[in-house]
Amino acid sequence: MRREIGVAVIGTGFMGKAHALAYRAVPNAFPNSLTPRLVAVADVSETGARQAAEQFGFDRATSDWRSLLDDRDVQVVSITTPCSLHREMALAAIAAGKHVHCEKPIAPSASDAHEMMKAAESANVVTQVGYNYIKNPILKLAREMIASGELGEITSFRGIHAEDYMADPEIPYSWRVDPQNGAGALAEIGNHIVGMSRFLLGPVTHVNAQLETVNKSRPVSPGSPERREVKVDDIARLMVTFDRGCSGSIEANWTATGRKMQLEFEIYGTKGALCFSQERFNELRYFNAGGDPRTSGFARIEAGPAHPPYENFTVAGGHQLGFNDLKTIEMAEFIAAIEHGTSNFPDFREAWEIQRVVDAAIRSSAEAQRVSL
Amino acid sequence: MRREIGVAVIGTGFMGKAHALAYRAVPNAFPNSLTPRLVAVADVSETGARQAAEQFGFDRATSDWRSLLDDRDVQVVSITTPCSLHREMALAAIAAGKHVHCEKPIAPSASDAHEMMKAAESANVVTQVGYNYIKNPILKLAREMIASGELGEITSFRGIHAEDYMADPEIPYSWRVDPQNGAGALAEIGNHIVGMSRFLLGPVTHVNAQLETVNKSRPVSPGSPERREVKVDDIARLMVTFDRGCSGSIEANWTATGRKMQLEFEIYGTKGALCFSQERFNELRYFNAGGDPRTSGFARIEAGPAHPPYENFTVAGGHQLGFNDLKTIEMAEFIAAIEHGTSNFPDFREAWEIQRVVDAAIRSSAEAQRVSL
Amino acid sequence: MRREIGVAVIGTGFMGKAHALAYRAVPNAFPNSLTPRLVAVADVSETGARQAAEQFGFDRATSDWRSLLDDRDVQVVSITTPCSLHREMALAAIAAGKHVHCEKPIAPSASDAHEMMKAAESANVVTQVGYNYIKNPILKLAREMIASGELGEITSFRGIHAEDYMADPEIPYSWRVDPQNGAGALAEIGNHIVGMSRFLLGPVTHVNAQLETVNKSRPVSPGSPERREVKVDDIARLMVTFDRGCSGSIEANWTATGRKMQLEFEIYGTKGALCFSQERFNELRYFNAGGDPRTSGFARIEAGPAHPPYENFTVAGGHQLGFNDLKTIEMAEFIAAIEHGTSNFPDFREAWEIQRVVDAAIRSSAEAQRVSL
Amino acid sequence: MRREIGVAVIGTGFMGKAHALAYRAVPNAFPNSLTPRLVAVADVSETGARQAAEQFGFDRATSDWRSLLDDRDVQVVSITTPCSLHREMALAAIAAGKHVHCEKPIAPSASDAHEMMKAAESANVVTQVGYNYIKNPILKLAREMIASGELGEITSFRGIHAEDYMADPEIPYSWRVDPQNGAGALAEIGNHIVGMSRFLLGPVTHVNAQLETVNKSRPVSPGSPERREVKVDDIARLMVTFDRGCSGSIEANWTATGRKMQLEFEIYGTKGALCFSQERFNELRYFNAGGDPRTSGFARIEAGPAHPPYENFTVAGGHQLGFNDLKTIEMAEFIAAIEHGTSNFPDFREAWEIQRVVDAAIRSSAEAQRVSL
């Protein structure tokens, strides 16, 4: 009989569904894992909660997320609500002794994130934050190559996360651009590339940033002539220094017309280089500086069985993982950390560190000077 | 309460697991679907069957696939065993009134496939064959563009399915190269591109083919000095004519060093052209001949919400589907056809048609002449 | 003082100009070369000849190409007239002891080409035919890699030359589709990829081909309601066997909407693979089968100083050659062969061999059977 | 008879040769142009001058560049010497009434460049500086599309010029890293992308930059144990604001392992986007935001006859220009400006403007603050 672990999910939107799907998919791809049992789902709308329960097979539905705290069948709580609610929910769940998965960004500010992290570490619960792109097998390879020295000493990083979903100035004002939700392109998508840079290269020590609001006002509602001022960034540009000694640039942009997922990086080292784009996330391009100049070039590595845990999804190379598979890996690693008491990444501490970079960038831009972390 | 449909799967290998995963994933992505209930799994090894049952959540496990036939909880049977067993199993399941999903190739020969198709049509059961690559939302777009005339009159087709998993001459002799299993590069992977050409352009009427065995013998077991002659094709090249009037070429090759999934086509029409590669299967390249020559070029369309049923998996563009998602679409469409009594594609009739092209190519090559279908 | 060699060019169209430019450019890029002196240019139009003489710096202009034969200042004659005139002009030039460069295709048929080749070899003059794409430094690398065994035993070839300049059915009937000019997609552009396959892999021994006329008639003049039947191929598909033992496919297509220069090949060997496209002709993609599966992939080699004679044009990598540079290399090698008495490639013998493949394909298609060369 | 204009070239290195070649090629590609007559070449080495004269066809050779000033046959002087010599030579040539082409960077500092610019404007001579990459026909298209509003309002710019020719820390100390020559990655290659950004988007008003020396010392000679400190940048990162209102980033890096010519930009506007890389400089990728979401994507525009002056080099699309062709366009436009008295771009004023951005970046980095121009 498979051993189970009880899971509750708060929120039933894009990410609520993604979590439910991912928990369900864990035992399929990771047969040795504890099996997440979908115990309960909470949503402000009771109807929404019930529909989600039926669709995804939760045992119970509730409109009162606090009721999950006393539920002894629940060992894990997934928080997928708007960012402004994360702190309260996470602290309550931690206090109730639950392991907590929280969507990104963890909080509107680093100080909130710090409080959440401290609470979790004191309570000794396992935490995770939804920076799922780094769960990609091909990025685990990238990290290993850097860590093992295959690229030599790293000399430069260039990172981008650009999309176009906020390019249209007629998209109404909403939580997406409300500073209370930790809004802005940098906070919402830029933290992915900030996190990816940390995953690959380690801590950031200095930030020199300029944030810019391209669409300076938005209608208060669709088509309304009344407009509200937007105070968060549409574009953020950072020049960063890493603790390991190299420097780099990071750009976040949610007004990049035509781009759907330009989450990219290029890393240059003394012995090689890596280039990656989430637009083709089953590929990694690698230049080995030690090769024969006559036949050298950037090689397009395709994800395959040589890149764990690709093989958990399909045994043959070239078949490719999808976004939902990355989410499954994320949940499987979270569950494994709970079961085995091992460290987990990215946890609340890591999310706090990412948020510190975001906060430093906002401050750098406001003060027009370089900032140390 | 969700309405269920009982499913049994025969075989627990690569495809057996893929079927189980896909059935499980159907209600997540397609909430209005009947929910496949994993009633039973059969495998020659009782242990294998039990392990699969536990991993994927089947109610029952058996080493006797015939026991599924009388199981009133089972409405659907998925056959994922070696090709040589398909006929017997499918005919028995059809006779028992089950709807049948059978992996590709459906049978070693078109005559076997014909018998299976006739049985299914007489029994009025729904059938499906696992040509899952065409379930790709971006290929549904391609088909629509051709059908709607957006490309004008089609003038040329070029199709390839090349991989390298049989390139090494020291891979031992196995069922993969045993003609009884409908073996050979053309039968095993070439039928994907044959099927894709039919999906996009319709029936093939003439074939002129040359099949070639690159690795003319293989060890009888790993490292053995004893070798056995290989009689099936490593490479097949076809020149084909379509009923709609245009012609094209098709290549199957499982010795294409470096290629993991070069399942590609290019289609040229009087008003436009399309290029696709499974290596980047969330993309389709489209040339619109009506554009301004100054700014025209092949556009890289990225799969997104404009391409159903992409949105069933993730609401935002640029996130990408994986191979297992294609399999989920396949099963969802199969289940929907059963529920609504609608036609299904690719069914046994389509599989027979694909096999007819394969058989015609084998005959053309053997007789060194063009063959009409 | 630079040593000179006198050159005459017959024809002042696209290729006439290209020849003049290339001869002029030779000493710049190849300082040790004889300097081609542009002695005379001939054109049916005396005005055309004069204009060309002035533009490109020929000493003399004439409307009588035969006058070049007695010109003692002329050692080299370049023939860039329509194909149907090549034979007469080349034979006359050879008889006059001139070295001869002739544009491709050399003749409408292999028998004409054979006569020209025999005459040249008897007269011991140096010849060259304008298959200039193979003068690309990156293709010299490809050839070396194959010859040296870096790709192991070659198992498969796939070659294409597709463009769209004849896609429009309203392009009037002209010499381009007149069989007397050796017309048709295969003869006009397909011979490039036939020649490239021979350059890389050696002689072709068998051909199984199907030729097709997509646009079955064309207006006799622009906009005319009167149409004339087209008898030459718009698309040609060949299945070929090479003398070295491997086989392959070749396609020529001048109705491939959207394609401007899809001159491509893929070559698979037991130790590696190469992919090339003239669309990006400063690149070659190379898969080395001996690499670590974890980091292997097709490497994009960029043309640079490691690939002679790239460095004759620019000393730094990444700067790229253009089409006219390939033409300059072609002329430089021709001049060098004349000066040093070395063999030259592709000469009239090679052009005859290419034409034999073209003729064999036409015959194979007409007779609906495989043909041996 | 073709009308001529007398040219002298100072310097016979990489760029000296490129100039000579380009002047020679002008009348071939631009038949209506004045014909540059290569009157004289100067080099510190008289032997070098003589060899160059012979190779490229200059009438005279000299080791005294000042002798060119009184040469009445010389109307144009091309300066291709090290940067530290530009000012003296250019001022002398201007004083002698010559039109002056000077290689980039025009001077080690903006103040020197300003003096040169003022002198040229007072003397009313035509000037040009060798920012040749922007002579690319496909970039003229990019500029037109921006200027005409086809991209809407520009919201963001991302520019890079990265190569790897200084990545190896054992490359000896030389003029390349000597601040007196206006050295550093930004000054040497970064000015290309700075100039390209200005060509496309207009003036830069603010710069916030960080410059970094990766290889902090270099051997005084090849293999020497003695090392000399390097004070110029290996990597420069700029955040810039354009006068038109949008902002962007610029990176220069000559230690980017594996990169030979990553001169790239991406430009996002409210109606579309453009992406370009010099690695494939016959292509421009264009996203038109007004298209059908179902079939929209970045289109790969291939340079062709629709993009003047491509057709001056080859009449058919898909043939591609090379680096030397860009240089030919550069010289042809320079000569045309002299003949017709029209304005020329990029002239000394433009070079001064580019140098001002470079100087501002150096100052911004040193002072750790944003700088206004």
Side-chain angles (χ1 to χ4, degrees), chain C residues 126-163:
Chain C
V126 176
T127 58
Q128 177 146 308
V129 180
Y131 291 104
N132 54 292
Y133 296 121
I134 59 176
K135 298 303 180 179
N136 187 342
I138 209 93
L139 292 187
K140 292 178 189 285
L141 170 65
R143 187 173 198 262
E144 277 172 24
M145 292 177 77
I146 294 165
S148 69
E150 284 176 83
L151 300 188
E153 192 181 339
I154 303 304
T155 59
S156 179
F157 175 82
R158 197 187 300 137
I160 301 165
H161 194 149
E163 303 194 27

Side-chain angles (χ1 to χ4, degrees), chain D residues 58-318:
Chain D
F58 287 91
D59 296 336
R60 309 193 258 286
T62 176
S63 61
D64 174 19
W65 65 267
R66 291 189 177 276
S67 71
L68 307 173
L69 304 175
D70 302 323
D71 192 330
R72 298 193 51 186
D73 294 340
V74 173
Q75 282 98 52
V76 175
V77 173
S78 257
I79 302 171
T80 71
T81 56
C83 178
S84 58
L85 302 173
H86 289 177
R87 181 179 158 280
E88 181 187 9
M89 289 173 172
L91 291 177
I94 290 165
K98 311 299 188 191
H99 304 292
V100 182
H101 187 299
C102 183
E103 264 309 316
K104 41 86 22 191
I106 183 175
S109 71
S111 62
D112 280 11
H114 188 260
E115 183 184 359
M116 293 158 75
M117 177 264 282
K118 281 295 181 188
E121 295 189 352
S122 298
N124 214 20
V125 299
V126 177
T127 57
Q128 177 146 309
V129 181
Y131 292 104
N132 55 292
Y133 296 121
I134 59 176
K135 299 302 181 179
N136 187 342
I138 210 93
L139 292 187
K140 291 178 188 287
L141 169 65
R143 187 173 197 262
E144 277 173 24
M145 291 177 77
I146 293 165
S148 69
E150 283 176 83
L151 300 188
E153 192 180 339
I154 303 304
T155 59
S156 180
F157 175 82
R158 199 186 299 137
I160 300 165
H161 193 148
E163 303 195 27
D164 69 358
Y165 62 100
M166 295 298 277
D168 184 348
E170 300 312 309
I171 293 172
Y173 197 98
S174 73
W175 62 270
R176 277 197 190 281
V177 291
D178 179 350
Q180 297 218 6
N181 276 305
L186 177 59
E188 185 162 307
I189 57 174
N191 56 10
H192 277 300
I193 185 63
V194 168
M196 204 174 272
S197 75
R198 283 181 48 85
F199 173 68
L200 297 165
L201 299 180
V204 170
T205 57
H206 298 80
V207 174
N208 181 357
Q210 290 185 204
L211 277 60
E212 181 183 356
T213 307
V214 170
N215 295 312
K216 294 183 172 53
S217 71
R218 292 187 175 278
V220 296
S221 60
S224 167
E226 190 187 345
R227 300 182 76 88
R228 184 166 170 188
E229 186 188 359
V230 174
K231 295 186 177 170
V232 299
D233 58 294
D234 289 317
I235 305 177
R237 296 187 182 87
L238 287 67
M239 299 189 290
V240 296
T241 306
F242 293 92
D243 192 44
R244 67 192 300 145
C246 72
S247 59
S249 66
I250 289 176
E251 177 185 329
N253 186 343
W254 64 17
T255 61
T257 303
R259 291 294 182 184
K260 306 308 172 194
M261 188 55 78
Q262 190 185 22
L263 172 54
E264 295 187 349
F265 66 78
E266 302 195 6
I267 292 176
Y268 296 95
T270 52
K271 294 184 180 172
L274 294 178
C275 301
F276 171 80
S277 175
Q278 188 72 17
E279 290 186 354
R280 289 166 171 172
F281 74 78
N282 286 276
E283 302 177 12
L284 181 68
R285 285 184 293 144
Y286 167 43
F287 184 88
N288 181 347
D292 179 352
R294 184 171 150 271
T295 55
S296 286
F298 277 89
R300 180 166 70 99
I301 306 170
E302 296 178 90
H307 312 119
Y310 173 97
E311 204 166 5
N312 290 57
F313 294 86
T314 170
V315 296

